[in-house]
Coordinates of all heavy atoms in Angstrom, one line a residue:
Chain H
V1906 N 263.8 147.5 243.3 CA 263.9 147.6 241.9 C 265.2 147.0 241.4 O 266.2 147.2 242.0 CB 263.9 149.1 241.5 CG1 264.0 149.3 240.0 CG2 262.6 149.7 242.0
K1907 N 265.1 146.3 240.3 CA 266.3 145.7 239.8 C 267.2 146.7 239.0 O 266.6 147.4 238.1 CB 265.9 144.5 238.9 CG 267.1 143.6 238.6 CD 266.5 142.2 238.2 CE 267.4 141.4 237.4 NZ 268.8 141.5 237.9
C1908 N 268.5 146.7 239.2 CA 269.3 147.6 238.4 C 270.2 146.7 237.5 O 270.2 145.5 237.5 CB 270.2 148.4 239.3 SG 271.7 147.6 239.9
C1909 N 270.9 147.4 236.6 CA 271.7 146.7 235.6 C 273.2 146.9 235.8 O 273.9 146.7 234.9 CB 271.2 147.0 234.2 SG 271.5 148.8 233.8
R1910 N 273.6 147.4 237.0 CA 275.0 147.6 237.2 C 275.8 146.4 236.9 O 276.8 146.4 236.1 CB 275.3 148.2 238.6 CG 274.7 149.6 238.8 CD 275.1 150.0 240.3 NE 274.7 151.3 240.7 CZ 273.5 151.6 241.2 NH1 272.6 150.6 241.4 NH2 273.2 152.8 241.6
K1911 N 275.5 145.3 237.6 CA 276.4 144.2 237.4 C 276.3 143.6 236.0 O 277.3 143.1 235.5 CB 276.0 143.1 238.4 CG 276.4 143.5 239.8 CD 276.6 142.3 240.7 CE 275.3 142.0 241.4 NZ 275.5 140.9 242.4
S1912 N 275.1 143.7 235.4 CA 275.0 143.3 234.0 C 275.9 144.0 233.1 O 276.6 143.5 232.2 CB 273.6 143.4 233.6 OG 272.7 142.7 234.4
C1913 N 276.0 145.3 233.3 CA 276.9 146.1 232.5 C 278.3 145.7 232.7 O 279.1 145.6 231.7 CB 276.7 147.6 232.8 SG 275.2 148.3 232.2
L1914 N 278.7 145.5 233.9 CA 280.1 145.0 234.1 C 280.3 143.7 233.5 O 281.4 143.5 232.8 CB 280.3 144.9 235.7 CG 281.7 144.4 236.1 CD1 282.8 145.1 235.4 CD2 281.8 144.3 237.6
K1915 N 279.4 142.8 233.6 CA 279.6 141.5 232.9 C 279.7 141.7 231.4 O 280.6 141.0 230.8 CB 278.4 140.6 233.2 CG 278.3 140.1 234.6 CD 277.2 139.1 234.7 CE 276.9 138.6 236.1 NZ 275.7 137.8 236.2
L1916 N 278.9 142.5 230.9 CA 279.0 142.7 229.4 C 280.3 143.3 229.0 O 280.9 142.9 228.0 CB 277.8 143.6 229.0 CG 276.4 142.9 229.0 CD1 275.3 143.9 228.7 CD2 276.3 141.8 228.0
L1917 N 280.8 144.2 229.8 CA 282.1 144.8 229.4 C 283.2 143.8 229.5 O 284.1 143.7 228.6 CB 282.4 146.0 230.2 CG 283.8 146.6 230.0 CD1 284.0 147.1 228.5 CD2 284.1 147.8 230.9
K1918 N 283.1 143.0 230.5 CA 284.1 141.9 230.7 C 284.1 141.0 229.5 O 285.1 140.5 229.0 CB 283.9 141.2 232.0 CG 284.4 141.9 233.2 CD 283.9 141.3 234.5 CE 284.3 139.9 234.7 NZ 284.9 139.6 235.9
H1919 N 282.9 140.6 229.2 CA 282.7 139.7 228.1 C 283.2 140.3 226.8 O 283.9 139.6 226.0 CB 281.2 139.4 227.9 CG 280.9 138.4 226.9 ND1 281.5 137.2 226.7 CD2 280.0 138.5 225.8 CE1 281.0 136.5 225.7 NE2 280.1 137.3 225.1
L1920 N 282.9 141.6 226.6 CA 283.4 142.2 225.4 C 284.9 142.2 225.3 O 285.5 141.9 224.3 CB 282.9 143.7 225.4 CG 283.3 144.6 224.2 CD1 282.8 143.9 222.9 CD2 282.7 146.0 224.3
L1921 N 285.6 142.5 226.4 CA 287.0 142.5 226.4 C 287.5 141.1 226.2 O 288.5 140.9 225.4 CB 287.6 143.0 227.8 CG 287.4 144.5 228.0 CD1 288.0 144.9 229.4 CD2 288.1 145.3 226.9
D1922 N 286.9 140.1 226.8 CA 287.3 138.7 226.6 C 287.2 138.3 225.2 O 288.2 137.7 224.7 CB 286.3 137.8 227.4 CG 286.7 137.6 228.8 OD1 287.7 138.2 229.2 OD2 286.0 136.9 229.5
Q1923 N 286.1 138.7 224.6 CA 285.9 138.3 223.2 C 286.9 138.9 222.3 O 287.4 138.3 221.4 CB 284.5 138.6 222.8 CG 283.4 137.8 223.5 CD 283.4 136.3 223.1 OE1 284.3 135.6 223.5 NE2 282.5 135.9 222.3
L1924 N 287.2 140.2 222.6 CA 288.1 140.9 221.7 C 289.5 140.3 221.9 O 290.2 140.1 220.9 CB 288.1 142.4 222.0 CG 286.9 143.2 221.6 CD1 286.9 144.6 222.1 CD2 286.7 143.2 220.1
K1925 N 289.8 140.0 223.1 CA 291.2 139.4 223.3 C 291.3 138.1 222.6 O 292.3 137.7 222.0 CB 291.4 139.2 224.8 CG 291.7 140.6 225.5 CD 291.5 140.5 227.0 CE 292.6 139.7 227.7 NZ 293.5 140.6 228.4
T1926 N 290.2 137.3 222.7 CA 290.2 136.0 222.1 C 290.4 136.2 220.5 O 291.2 135.5 219.9 CB 288.9 135.3 222.4 OG1 288.8 135.1 223.8 CG2 288.9 133.9 221.7
K1927 N 289.5 137.1 220.0 CA 289.5 137.2 218.6 C 290.9 137.7 218.1 O 291.3 137.2 217.1 CB 288.5 138.3 218.3 CG 288.5 138.7 216.8 CD 287.5 139.8 216.5 CE 288.2 140.9 215.9 NZ 287.4 142.1 215.9
D1928 N 291.5 138.6 218.8 CA 292.7 139.1 218.3 C 293.9 138.3 218.8 O 295.0 138.7 218.7 CB 292.9 140.6 218.6 CG 291.8 141.4 217.8 OD1 292.0 141.4 216.6 OD2 290.9 141.9 218.4
G1929 N 293.6 137.3 219.5 CA 294.7 136.5 220.0 C 295.6 137.3 220.9 O 296.8 137.1 220.9
N1930 N 295.1 138.2 221.6 CA 295.9 139.0 222.5 C 297.0 139.8 221.7 O 297.9 140.2 222.3 CB 296.5 138.1 223.5 CG 295.8 138.2 224.8 OD1 295.0 139.2 225.0 ND2 296.0 137.3 225.7
R1931 N 296.7 140.0 220.5 CA 297.7 140.7 219.7 C 297.5 142.2 219.9 O 296.5 142.6 220.5 CB 297.7 140.3 218.3 CG 298.3 139.0 218.0 CD 298.2 138.6 216.5 NE 296.8 138.5 216.1 CZ 296.1 139.4 215.5 NH1 296.7 140.5 215.2 NH2 294.9 139.2 215.1
R1932 N 298.3 143.0 219.3 CA 298.1 144.4 219.3 C 297.9 145.0 220.6 O 297.2 145.9 220.8 CB 296.9 144.8 218.4 CG 296.7 144.0 217.2 CD 297.3 144.7 216.0 NE 297.2 146.1 215.9 CZ 296.5 146.7 215.0 NH1 295.8 146.0 214.1 NH2 296.4 148.0 214.9
G1933 N 298.5 144.4 221.6 CA 298.5 145.0 222.9 C 297.3 144.7 223.7 O 297.1 145.2 224.8
L1934 N 296.4 143.9 223.2 CA 295.2 143.7 224.0 C 295.5 142.9 225.3 O 294.7 142.9 226.2 CB 294.1 142.9 223.2 CG 293.4 143.7 222.1 CD1 292.2 143.0 221.6 CD2 293.1 145.1 222.6
D1935 N 296.6 142.2 225.3 CA 296.9 141.5 226.5 C 297.2 142.4 227.7 O 297.3 142.0 228.8 CB 298.2 140.6 226.2 CG 299.3 141.4 225.8 OD1 299.2 142.3 224.8 OD2 300.4 141.3 226.3
K1936 N 297.4 143.7 227.4 CA 297.6 144.6 228.5 C 296.4 144.9 229.2 O 296.4 145.5 230.3 CB 298.2 145.9 227.9 CG 299.6 145.7 227.3 CD 300.2 147.0 227.0 CE 301.6 146.9 226.3 NZ 301.4 146.4 224.9
F1937 N 295.3 144.6 228.7 CA 294.0 145.0 229.3 C 293.5 143.8 230.1 O 293.6 142.6 229.7 CB 293.0 145.4 228.3 CG 293.4 146.6 227.6 CD1 294.0 146.6 226.3 CD2 293.2 147.9 228.2 CE1 294.4 147.7 225.7 CE2 293.6 149.0 227.5 CZ 294.2 149.0 226.3
C1938 N 293.0 144.1 231.3 CA 292.6 142.9 232.1 C 291.2 143.3 232.8 O 290.7 144.4 232.7 CB 293.6 142.7 233.2 SG 293.9 144.0 234.3
S1939 N 290.7 142.3 233.4 CA 289.4 142.5 234.0 C 289.4 143.6 235.1 O 288.4 144.2 235.4 CB 288.8 141.2 234.6 OG 289.7 140.7 235.5
Y1940 N 290.6 143.9 235.7 CA 290.6 144.9 236.7 C 290.3 146.3 236.1 O 289.8 147.2 236.8 CB 291.9 144.9 237.5 CG 291.8 145.6 238.8 CD1 291.1 145.1 239.8 CD2 292.4 146.9 238.9 CE1 290.9 145.8 241.0 CE2 292.2 147.6 240.1 CZ 291.5 147.1 241.2 OH 291.4 147.8 242.3
H1941 N 290.6 146.4 234.9 CA 290.3 147.7 234.2 C 288.8 147.9 234.1 O 288.3 148.9 234.3 CB 291.0 147.7 232.8 CG 292.5 147.8 232.8 ND1 293.3 147.0 232.0 CD2 293.3 148.5 233.6 CE1 294.5 147.3 232.2 NE2 294.6 148.1 233.2
A1942 N 288.2 146.8 233.7 CA 286.7 146.8 233.6 C 286.1 147.1 235.0 O 285.2 148.0 235.1 CB 286.2 145.5 233.1
K1943 N 286.6 146.5 235.9 CA 286.1 146.7 237.3 C 286.3 148.1 237.8 O 285.4 148.7 238.4 CB 286.8 145.7 238.2 CG 286.1 145.4 239.5 CD 286.9 144.3 240.1 CE 286.7 144.1 241.6 NZ 287.5 143.0 242.1
T1944 N 287.5 148.6 237.5 CA 287.7 150.0 238.0 C 286.9 151.0 237.2 O 286.3 151.9 237.8 CB 289.2 150.3 237.7 OG1 290.0 149.4 238.4 CG2 289.6 151.7 238.1
A1945 N 286.7 150.8 235.9 CA 285.9 151.7 235.2 C 284.4 151.6 235.7 O 283.7 152.6 235.8 CB 285.9 151.3 233.7
F1946 N 284.1 150.4 236.1 CA 282.8 150.2 236.6 C 282.5 151.0 237.9 O 281.5 151.7 238.0 CB 282.6 148.7 236.9 CG 281.3 148.4 237.7 CD1 280.1 148.4 237.1 CD2 281.4 148.1 239.0 CE1 278.9 148.1 237.8 CE2 280.2 147.8 239.7 CZ 279.0 147.8 239.1
F1947 N 283.5 150.9 238.8 CA 283.3 151.7 240.0 C 283.3 153.2 239.7 O 282.5 154.0 240.3 CB 284.5 151.4 241.0 CG 284.4 150.1 241.6 CD1 285.5 149.3 241.7 CD2 283.2 149.6 242.1 CE1 285.5 148.0 242.3 CE2 283.1 148.3 242.7 CZ 284.3 147.5 242.7
Q1948 N 284.1 153.6 238.8 CA 284.1 155.1 238.4 C 282.7 155.4 237.8 O 282.2 156.5 238.1 CB 285.2 155.4 237.4 CG 286.6 155.1 237.9 CD 287.1 156.0 239.0 OE1 286.3 156.8 239.6 NE2 288.4 155.9 239.4
A1949 N 282.2 154.5 237.1 CA 280.9 154.8 236.5 C 279.8 154.9 237.5 O 278.9 155.7 237.4 CB 280.5 153.8 235.4
C1950 N 279.9 154.1 238.5 CA 278.9 154.1 239.6 C 279.0 155.4 240.3 O 278.0 155.9 240.8 CB 279.2 152.9 240.6 SG 278.7 151.3 240.0
V1951 N 280.1 156.0 240.4 CA 280.3 157.3 241.1 C 279.7 158.4 240.1 O 279.1 159.3 240.6 CB 281.7 157.6 241.4 CG1 281.9 159.0 241.8 CG2 282.2 156.6 242.6
L1952 N 280.0 158.2 238.9 CA 279.5 159.2 237.9 C 278.0 159.2 237.8 O 277.4 160.3 237.7 CB 280.1 158.8 236.6 CG 279.9 159.7 235.4 CD1 280.4 161.1 235.7 CD2 280.7 159.2 234.2
W1953 N 277.4 158.1 237.9 CA 276.0 157.9 237.9 C 275.5 157.2 239.1 O 275.3 156.0 239.1 CB 275.6 157.2 236.6 CG 276.0 157.8 235.4 CD1 275.6 159.1 235.0 CD2 276.9 157.3 234.4 NE1 276.2 159.4 233.7 CE2 277.0 158.3 233.4 CE3 277.5 156.1 234.2 CZ2 277.8 158.1 232.2 CZ3 278.3 155.9 233.0 CH2 278.4 156.9 232.1

Side-chain angles (χ1 to χ4, degrees):
Chain H
V1906 179
K1907 193 158 159 42
C1908 84
C1909 62
R1910 289 181 180 90
K1911 288 203 270 185
S1912 300
C1913 286
L1914 175 55
K1915 287 183 186 178
L1916 288 171
L1917 176 60
K1918 282 166 59 127
H1919 181 51
L1920 179 59
L1921 289 178
D1922 272 1
Q1923 294 290 76
L1924 290 173
K1925 285 160 74 104
T1926 299
K1927 173 182 126 194
D1928 293 294
N1930 260 342
R1931 285 178 297 97
R1932 318 265 322 245
L1934 289 195
D1935 57 310
K1936 298 193 181 65
F1937 295 98
C1938 64
S1939 58
Y1940 197 71
H1941 292 138
K1943 198 170 160 185
T1944 299
F1946 170 75
F1947 289 134
Q1948 300 292 8
C1950 285
V1951 167
L1952 187 54
W1953 299 301

